[in-house]
Every structure is written in structure tokens, then in C-alpha cells.
Amino acid sequence: MTPAVRLAALAVRRLGGALATLLVGSFVLFAAAEVLPGDAAAAALGGGATPADVARMHAELGLDRPVLVRYGDWIGAAFSGDLGHSLVDRRPVAEIISGPLADTLLLAGVCALLTVVLALAVGIAAGLRPGGLLDRLLSGGAVTLVSVPQFVTAGILTLVFSSWLGVLPAVSLVPFGEPLLAHPEALVLPVAALTLFSASWASRMVRAAVVDAAAAPHVEAARLAGLSPARVVLRHLLPTAAGPCAQVFGWLAGTLVGGTAVVEKVFNYPGLSRELVAAVQHHDAAVLEGIGLLMAAAVVGGLLLADLLAMAVDPRMRTAT
Amino acid sequence: MSRVNGVGRRRFLQWGAAAATATAGATALSGCATSKSGDTRSVGSAGKLLRVGASDATGTTSLDPRHAGFGASYIALYHLYDQLMYLKGSRYELGLAESVEPNKDASEWTIRLHKHAVFHDGSPVRAADVAYSLRTLATPPSTRANNFVDLDLDRLKAVDAHTLKVGLKRPRGDFREAVLAVFSPVFPEGTRGKDFDKGVGSGPYRLEEHDGKNLRLAVNDKYWGGTSYFRRIELDLIADPAARLAALKSGQIDYAFGITATGAKAERGNSAIRVRRGGTANSNALSFAMNEQLAPFDNPDVRRAVRLAADREALVRQVLLGLGTKGDDVVGKGLPGYAGGDRKRDLAEARRLFARAKVDSLTLHAADTVPGFVAAARLLGQQLKEAGVELDVQKVPADTYYADLKGLARTPFQTFYYANRPAAVHLSATTTKGAFFNVTGLGEPHFKRLATAQATVDDSKREAAFAAVQRGLYSSGGDLLWGFQEQLDASAPGLSGVWSSQSIPVFTRARSA
């Protein structure tokens, strides 16, 4: 079996595993929506509804069918791209979440890009001289930023750049009918708050990978052979560290989509978290499940991407699996 | 922690402490931050724009009066739709109705409308529209159906274009203040379902744009009650109170509906914004509700002991940061018709009553449905301990607190709040038989007394009857109502003329300096 075929076979196997994980996750999600206190029909009708009204609404929404039948219908439709209709306003779930999803993806995407650049730069710089002044400064800064809750970081950024300096908006308000991208200033503080945390966390992982790679025998041998430091780093050290780093960034890409909630709330960012909270408040299981499934897919997809990247850059990973 | 990681344990702790100090410092300094923008801003030469930031109980902005949530949706409704009557601060006022008069026994009321009112689509407002509106609001899926439970829908008839007869299932002398003034928006006959998204009413503003969350209103120049100063109002849904305050301070909005007590305290010295306190007329009455149908609160001694053990002043001081008023177990303090007492803490008597009832532990379900409720519950725990009772505070999620109405009615002891409204309004809206939240387990004797009071036509006799009902609740009811949490808003300093109805700010007479 050629390396390319082996890689493709591994990728297919991992994809199958990811789909199975998603399937299990979707069932857990559906079950969780079921056990939420309250009832979508009663919530839609309001407190003045009689038991007969609720029963009628149950039948209308299809909530009187067995749970497994409903799950089967829902997951079947979901895998064909139909996330169903909101139980509250009957609009298609895809229509409700498409706009916020785009805004969340924009936020997560910009953040992921900046995270990769910053984490690599900081992690490599710190990891090359472990224990040195630069390492201590960068690592200390990273640990501090990871330790501080995101809402505090967001608050400090708002205080400095909005309240004191007045150069950036405190919340992400966009004029009617205009896309978020037409007002990039509305993105700056949410991206900064999210990136400071994720880049700090990822830089610690990159640093650890670089330190480990530096201690590898072949890197040591290259150094003893008298190769220039730049050549040792570029040809031997970084390729060794690339596998673990790729896994870190793949995982991060997935979790960022579902990890923007705090920042979205603090900056009133028009992303998915607002829809998620509204869905919980309305007991709108269809929207809740749609958003949950998307977030689960993002995380599972990110992990899959991480594995594939790691296998692509590090041949040892292909045999290890 | 290994050396390779570059961070020793001691250093890690030092950095942690430094971070905590920086955080605390920044948080404290935020209270001293000054605004770059203060006054309300104008939009071109066309006129003034007012930007309002608000949250909504439902997480979205609905223009459907049947489903609207407290917050942004209500602010929109108050500007788009005329109501027949309003509860303005502590007074009842006529709105679209020119007069509302009862027959001899208050079993039928005659409503006369202003003759020049016109809907935003140009059609005149007729009695048939009012009949349709009341019928719609009184019928599920309207969440306000309970407010109109005594309307006899078969006897709801337009006499002529501007006169309406409203028959009731039972006499209600308090129909004006307890039904119409609470909520009575009027919309065109035939409005249903998605039609409500257009927000067609006869109010002082009409809908210009609505994206499901935020909306823009334009002044209605043909409004029968005269035109308003602000040409446009933009309503931005901002869920987080700190974000609303930050948006106000940075000049992105002119009015922040709902800020926290902490925020209000922190901004006291900031001349660039104005904190607006709602007073008792616009407040929430905060209670630890005991269900008198369920043990151990089916024993009046236990209810009395819990009430006597609470240090209400301390709760108001510590939980509401002083931005509120002490409660004495009855809703309506500071408003017309209030007949509550002045409850003093009596630990010795509380201890004696608990001992007699053989109660040494209680369980309280607490949720932050209003900020600080869980903290208040914990403080109550300390106070009850002084009376020899251990309180187990079980924190439950606020987001889904009202999802299970039956579960609420089965909970013996829980945090609960009511809008503080005049006694007649509160008693009729929340303590009648079949009311949504009978969390104190009121029974038939109360319902009968209340029905008698409601049916009394003579104003002074009705007030006396309502006072008797309140005295009953004060002496043996299930609410440990300890404080009134004022509605706290903030605005640009130049904004004046804002009035409130049941904590909702109305900008029809607002002006910018």
C-alpha cells in the first residue's frame, strides 16, 4: 500500500468515526432538548392555554409522536440538509440561523487566522530558549491571559479602547440593512478578546511542542553535526513540532465556532449565541437542535481536520493510528 | 510545575495575583470612565434620532401583542399601538378611549373612542377594531388572555363607529384600572399571524424597519394626539446590561433600558450620563414565596416565623445596594390603594414559632430571574440561621424558570417577583383563581373575598374591600416580600420628558436639550 493510499484509507476511517460521533452527539442533543423543563406547545400558547389547547398544539407540532420516531425523522432530514422548522414562528431553522452563523463564522475565522500567526510566533520564540528572559516574558503573558476570564478581558478592552480612548465601539451595532463587514470596527474588540485567549492558550501548546522537538535525537544530532541554527530549526525542529501543532490548530478551529458565546454576549455580537439563548427561552427545540448540531459538527470537523493535518505532516502519525 | 514550561509554581501564583490585581483595578476604574459622547445626537436636517438599547425577556423583538416579552418588545408596542387606557406611574389615564363608563352593577361597560384616530395604513380606528383587538387578546394563544378572563366575548359589541359595549361574565368595578390600564393595545380588525410583523397600530410612531431583533420607528405625523419630538427611534436589542451601559457611555445609544444596581452605583459621579431610578411605581416586588398548601408552610406559624426572621433592611442594603425600598409582604407599596403594614424583625418570636412547629430546616429554590435573587436567598439563609433554622438554597436555572408552570405551583418555597402595581391591579392580575402563578397557594377564601372586592362599583367601598384583602395577605399570606427593586435605566444627560408605564419607558413626549 502506497503512503498516499494509506493516508486516504485512514482519512476515510476517521471520517466514518466522525460521522458516528456526530450521530451519537445528535441523539444526546435531541434527548437534552426533550428533558429541558417546559413544553414548546405550552410556551407557544402562553400561560392562558387550557390542557385541550396544549394537546391540540402538540398534535399540530407533531409532538404527540414517540420520541424515537421524531428523532428518526429529524436526523434523517438533518443529514439531507433540512434542519426543520422553528416551533415558535414556523420559519425554517436554516433561514433563522444562516445570518448569525455567517457572523459567527466570520468572527471565528478571523480569530483562528490571527491565532495561528500569533501562537506560532510566540510559541516558537518562547520554545527555542526555554527558561530564557523572552520565554519567561511571553509564557508569563500567555498564562496571565489564559487565566483571566474572557468577560474580564473583554471588559478591560472596552474600558480602554471605547470608554477611555473612544476609538472603537463598545458593542457591535451595525446600521440597518448593512452587512457586518461594512463596519469592520465592530469586529475589532470581539476578535481581540477572543484571540488574546485562544492565541495565548495555543502558544503554550506550540511552545511545548517546540521544546519537545528540540530534545529529539535527530534534532540533537543535526545540531552536533554543526548545521547552522536556522537550518536546524527550519529543516529538523519545526517539521517535528508540526504534527502536534497541527492538532492544536485543528481542534481550536472547531471549538472556536462554539466558543464565541461569552464574547458575543459581552459585545452584543449578532452571532449564534443570541439565537441559542432565545431558543432555550422559547423551548424551541428545533432551533436548539439545529444550532447544537452545527456546533457539534464544527468541533468534530475540527478534530478530524486536526488528525488529518497531523497525519499529513508527520508520517509517524499514520502508523500510530 | 517543571522548569521546561518556564513557569515555576511561585511565579505562576505571582502572575495570577498580578492579573487579579489588574482586573480588579480595571473594573474599579471603569466606574470612573468618562464618556466621549453625551448628548442625544441629531440625524441630518430631517430631525432627531433617539437610539435605545434594551433586552427582551424572550430574546427577540416581537410586535405581536399576544406574545410580546417584557423589554424591547413592550417598548415597541407602546409606541406603535394606542392603548385604551394607561397606567402612568401611579395613575390611570385614558388613551384611545375618550371615556369608559359602567352600567349600574358594573357588569357591562361602555367605551367611547377618540373620533380622529387613524391606523398607520390610513384606515380609521372603529369600535369594531377595538372589539376585535379585545377578543384577540382574550383568546389563546394570547399570553395575556388571563387579563381578559372576565370578558364575555359574546357580549362584545360595537354600538356605532366609535362606541363599544363590553359585557362581563361577572361584575368588575375595577375594570378600568385592573383590566384596560394594564394592557389594551388596539390593532385593525382582521390582523392575525404574520400581519403583526407589520406593527400596524394607531400609535405615535409607525414601523419603518424590523429585522426580528432591532427595529426603527418613524414619527406618525398624523397622530391624533399630536406629533412627537424625535423623528425616529431606533431600538437595538442588547441582551447584556453591562454592554448596554458601555454602549451608552461610548455614545452608540442614547438610552439604556435596564442597568444593574452595580452599574448605577459606579456611574453616580459620571456627569456624561444620567441614571434614571424608577421609584416604587416602576419596580419589581421581590419575594420568597411560601406555598400555604404545602408542608411545612401549610402551618401559619411557619410562614409567620420566616417573615419575622428576615432582616429586610439588610437585604435591600446588600442585595439591591440601597437602590430600592423595604417590602412588607404586600405588593403595591407607594401606590394608590396600598394597605400594607410595617413588618419588624422579631428573632425571639421567630425562634419560638419555629420551635412550636418543630421546624429546624427549610429548602428554598432560588433563580436569578432578577439579578441578585440567589445572593438574597443566601443572605436569608444566614438570617434564618439566627432563628435556629438551616436553609438549603438550591440554585435553579433562570432561563427556564417559568417553563414549567405546574412545577412552580408544586414548589413549597421559592424566589419569585411581581411587577409592583397598585393593589387593585396586582390582586386582580395575579391572585385570582386560575392566575398563572399561584405560587403561594391561595385558596377559595381569598378568591371569594377578592371577587367581592372586584365587583364593588363604588370607588371608595371597593378600595376598602381591596384593603381588607391586603390585610389578609399581610397577616397570613405566603409572600415574604422583602424589597422593591427599582427599574434602573440610564440615558444621555440632555434627554427629558421620558415617562414610564409599568417600568416601560415611553418617548412620545421626550426631548433633547
Side-chain angles (χ1 to χ4, degrees), chain A residues 45 152 170-171 207 211 268 282-283, chain B residues 4 23 34 58 141 237 252 403:
Chain A
L45 286 169
V152 175
V171 296
R207 178 194 173 279
V211 170
N268 201 50
H282 285 129
H283 320 290
Chain B
V4 174
T23 303
T34 53
T58 62
L237 201 63
Q252 286 180 279

Side-chain angles (χ1 to χ4, degrees), chain A residues 21 129 151 167 262 294 300:
Chain A
T21 307
R129 295 265 189 282
F151 73 88
V167 292
V262 172
L294 272 175
V300 171

Side-chain angles (χ1 to χ4, degrees), chain A residues 2-18:
Chain A
T2 64
V5 172
R6 196 185 304 143
L7 184 62
L10 272 171
V12 169
R13 211 161 64 203
R14 285 297 171 88
L15 188 62

Side-chain angles (χ1 to χ4, degrees), chain A residues 185 220 266:
Chain A
E185 71 278 4
E220 189 67 23
V266 172

Side-chain angles (χ1 to χ4, degrees), chain B residues 233-297:
Chain B
I233 297 175
E234 263 188 30
L235 197 53
D236 295 310
L237 201 63
I238 304 176
D240 186 57
R244 287 194 290 276
L245 191 55
L248 175 68
K249 286 162 69 180
S250 69
Q252 286 180 279
I253 59 173
D254 308 302
Y255 194 97
F257 171 70
I259 62 170
T260 60
T262 317
K265 282 271 182 192
E267 300 302 332
R268 265 182 316 185
N270 184 358
S271 61
I273 68 166
R274 178 181 161 200
V275 173
R276 310 172 82 99
R277 293 181 59 170
T280 49
N282 299 288
S283 68
N284 286 323
L286 308 183
S287 168
F288 298 115
M290 300 171 276
N291 192 318
E292 58 188 66
Q293 303 295 330
L294 304 172
F297 303 105

